[in-house]
């Protein structure tokens, strides 16, 4: 307990940092994932090709490599001086968006084709059909895999600590340098991650129950 009580501000800052990067990258991944999923089911061939390339490239690239590209390459060729937090958010968000895209696309495929045909028959555009007819029905199917994806995102955020982001693992090095046993430090960090992942799981279970009643 001495490790936690003596350095409670550091653990608190690391916990809040992990929450911040998880939330920001999850939001980015959700927006990009839904957009790319729309590209993948689009009737326009260039958009489908772009969506396929996006998913194939990011899903088969190690996350650590994406962090290295974000931290050392992006500031030199795009916007110099970007904060490590923003760069880590981009790496995590882009990587996770490919998994979100595939989950959303799988949900879209569960919606009967007649729903989209009926929407087009009354003059709705593809984007309107997707936004107003298909995605609301696909949401119930998408929720369980999305829960797993965002839990994985939370655990993947630990890599950000190696790139100067003030999260739980970033603060663990500070504490280990002060001479505390690394095992106790990792124990408290593991408990903090359990709190976050259980909260995400509980949130998605609540959403599933609410949508289940609507169904």
């Amino acid at each position: 307990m001495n490790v936690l009580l003596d350095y409670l501000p550091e653990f608190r800052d690391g916990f809040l940092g992990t929450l911040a990067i998880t939330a920001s990258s999850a939001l980015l991944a959700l927006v990009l994932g839904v957009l790319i999923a729309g590209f993948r089911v689009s009737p326009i061939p260039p958009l489908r090709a772009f969506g396929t390339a996006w998913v194939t490239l990011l899903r088969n690239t190690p996350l650590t490599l994406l962090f290295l590209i974000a931290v050392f390459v992006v500031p030199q060729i795009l916007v110099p001086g970007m904060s490590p937090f923003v760069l880590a958010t981009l790496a995590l968000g882009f990587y996770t968006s490919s998994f979100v895209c595939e989950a959303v696309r799988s949900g879209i495929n569960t919606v009967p084709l007649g729903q989209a045909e009926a929407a087009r028959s009354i003059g709705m555009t593809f984007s309107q059909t997707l936004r107003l007819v298909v995605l609301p029905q696909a949401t119930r199917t998408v929720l369980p895999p999305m829960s797993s994806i965002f839990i994985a995102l939370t655990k993947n955020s630990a890599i950000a600590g190696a790139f100067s982001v003030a999260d739980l693992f970033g603060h663990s090095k500070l504490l280990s340098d002060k001479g505390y046993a690394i095992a106790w430090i990792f124990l408290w960090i593991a408990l903090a991650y359990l709190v976050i992942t259980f909260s995400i799981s509980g949130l998605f279970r609540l959403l599933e129950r609410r949508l289940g009643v609507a169904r």
Side-chain angles (χ1 to χ4, degrees):
M1 288 294 294
N2 288 341
V3 178
L4 179 64
L5 296 178
D6 292 347
Y7 292 95
L8 187 59
E10 285 80 1
F11 275 107
R12 180 200 62 208
D13 292 343
F15 183 79
L16 293 177
T18 296
L19 282 179
I21 193 170
T22 299
S24 58
S25 55
L27 179 60
L28 177 62
L30 184 61
V31 172
L32 285 176
V34 173
L35 179 63
I36 299 300
F39 286 178
R40 294 213 64 187
V41 298
S42 171
I44 304 174
L47 290 182
R48 290 201 306 272
F50 178 83
T52 301
W54 179 281
V55 171
T56 302
L57 178 63
L58 290 175
R59 287 187 70 180
N60 293 286
T61 301
L63 181 55
T64 305
L65 178 58
L66 290 179
F67 267 94
L68 291 171
I69 293 172
V71 172
F72 296 109
V73 178
V74 171
Q76 297 191 12
I77 63 175
L78 293 178
V79 183
M82 295 177 70
S83 70
F85 180 87
V86 173
L87 295 171
T89 298
L90 291 176
L92 273 171
F94 277 46
Y95 177 76
T96 309
S97 70
S98 62
F99 295 92
V100 172
C101 168
E102 289 302 276
V104 173
R105 187 172 70 92
S106 297
I108 290 173
N109 289 336
T110 63
V111 178
L113 184 60
Q115 298 281 336
E117 293 176 345
R120 285 196 296 269
S121 69
I122 61 174
M124 296 179 69
T125 65
F126 171 77
S127 61
Q128 290 175 327
T129 301
L130 191 64
R131 187 177 74 254
L132 301 176
V133 178
V134 177
L135 285 179
Q137 297 183 69
T139 301
R140 301 185 185 100
T141 307
V142 166
L143 283 176
M146 290 285 275
S147 175
S148 299
I149 290 170
F150 287 131
I151 287 174
L153 167 63
T154 303
K155 294 183 284 188
N156 288 337
S157 69
I159 300 177
F163 294 91
S164 304
V165 177
D167 70 341
L168 283 167
F169 270 93
H171 282 80
S172 70
K173 185 178 185 302
L174 171 65
L175 297 178
S176 63
D177 290 343
K178 292 181 179 293
Y180 282 104
I182 195 68
W184 292 110
I185 296 172
F186 283 163
L187 172 63
W188 289 114
I189 290 175
L191 290 176
Y193 274 103
L194 282 175
V195 170
I196 299 174
T197 55
F198 282 161
S199 299
I200 293 173
S201 179
L203 174 62
F204 275 90
R205 281 200 301 269
L206 177 62
L207 290 174
E208 288 179 46
R209 285 198 298 269
R210 298 197 115 193
L211 289 176
V213 171
R215 178 164 43 179

